[in-house]
């Protein structure tokens, strides 16, 4: 599979899982914004999901597209839960491993904006969770 086929498959699986998990959606959100899909698989995905506007998905990560799709498909009986990791974890991670767990600069700003969008969405329960770094493991 080339990268476009992989991206198409990932986007399709995300949409299918949102549908199959209704009325529930749980997102574990750490400190990485996620991968931005290439244009071709995104365009194909948007044709299949007209409830997601081009503006809502263009230059957005797969994670953000998935969250926005779940919010768009939400019904009165839906339960959307977003678990956000404590931000103090990153300072405890040795410098050589931080890029694995955290984005910097532009993607960090995009993640911050995504968290803000989620917090402003109605009927989304946000649950902070604690994670810790253990040098011994």
């Amino acid at each position: 599979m080339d990268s476009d086929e992989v991206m198409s498959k990932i986007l399709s699986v995300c949409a299918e899982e949102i549908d199959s998990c209704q009325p529930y959606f749980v997102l574990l959100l750490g400190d990485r914004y996620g991968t931005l899909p290439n244009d071709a698989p995104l365009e194909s995905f948007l044709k299949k999901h007209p409830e997601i506007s081009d503006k809502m998905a263009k230059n957005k990560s797969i994670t953000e597209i998935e969250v926005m799709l779940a919010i768009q498909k939400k019904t009165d009986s839906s339960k959307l839960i977003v678990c956000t990791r404590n931000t103090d974890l990153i300072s405890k991670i040795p410098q050589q491993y931080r890029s694995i767990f955290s984005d910097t600069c532009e993607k960090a700003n995009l993640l911050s904006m995504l968290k803000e969008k989620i917090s402003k969405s109605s009927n989304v329960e946000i649950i902070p969770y604690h994670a810790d770094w253990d040098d011994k493991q």
Side-chain angles (χ1 to χ4, degrees):
M1 263 191 206
D2 69 17
S3 65
D4 281 355
E5 290 171 325
V6 170
M7 292 280 177
S8 283
K9 182 68 175 166
I10 291 169
L11 287 164
S12 294
V13 167
C14 288
E16 290 165 12
E17 289 302 315
I18 289 168
D19 289 340
S20 70
C21 293
Q22 283 293 341
Y24 303 103
F25 177 80
V26 178
L27 171 67
L28 301 177
L29 193 58
D31 292 297
R32 294 197 50 117
Y33 179 66
T35 302
L36 281 69
N38 301 331
D39 287 340
L42 181 59
E43 294 305 321
S44 173
F45 176 79
L46 291 174
K47 286 178 186 171
K48 295 176 190 170
H49 297 280
E51 66 273 24
I52 299 291
S53 70
D54 192 54
K55 181 182 175 188
M56 199 183 261
K58 203 74 163 164
N59 299 316
K60 304 293 192 282
S61 71
I62 293 171
T63 302
E64 183 163 353
I65 294 167
E66 182 180 22
V67 172
M68 294 300 110
L69 184 59
I71 289 170
Q72 290 294 320
K73 291 186 169 210
K74 178 177 52 131
T75 65
D76 290 339
S77 63
S78 294
K79 180 79 171 169
L80 278 67
I81 299 171
V82 177
C83 302
T84 57
R85 187 173 64 208
N86 60 308
T87 55
D88 64 333
L89 170 69
I90 300 305
S91 64
K92 298 175 185 177
I93 297 174
Q95 190 67 41
Q96 68 265 29
Y97 302 118
R98 286 186 187 172
S99 65
I100 297 169
F101 298 94
S102 177
D103 283 325
T104 57
C105 300
E106 185 180 342
K107 279 194 167 184
N109 290 334
L110 292 170
L111 178 64
S112 180
M113 290 188 304
L114 173 58
K115 288 178 179 180
E116 183 70 22
K117 273 187 215 175
I118 292 168
S119 70
K120 290 180 177 179
S121 298
S122 61
N123 299 326
V124 176
E125 183 178 353
I126 299 173
I127 302 172
Y129 71 95
H130 181 78
D132 215 345
W133 182 264
D134 184 351
D135 281 327
K136 295 176 182 92
Q137 292 195 4

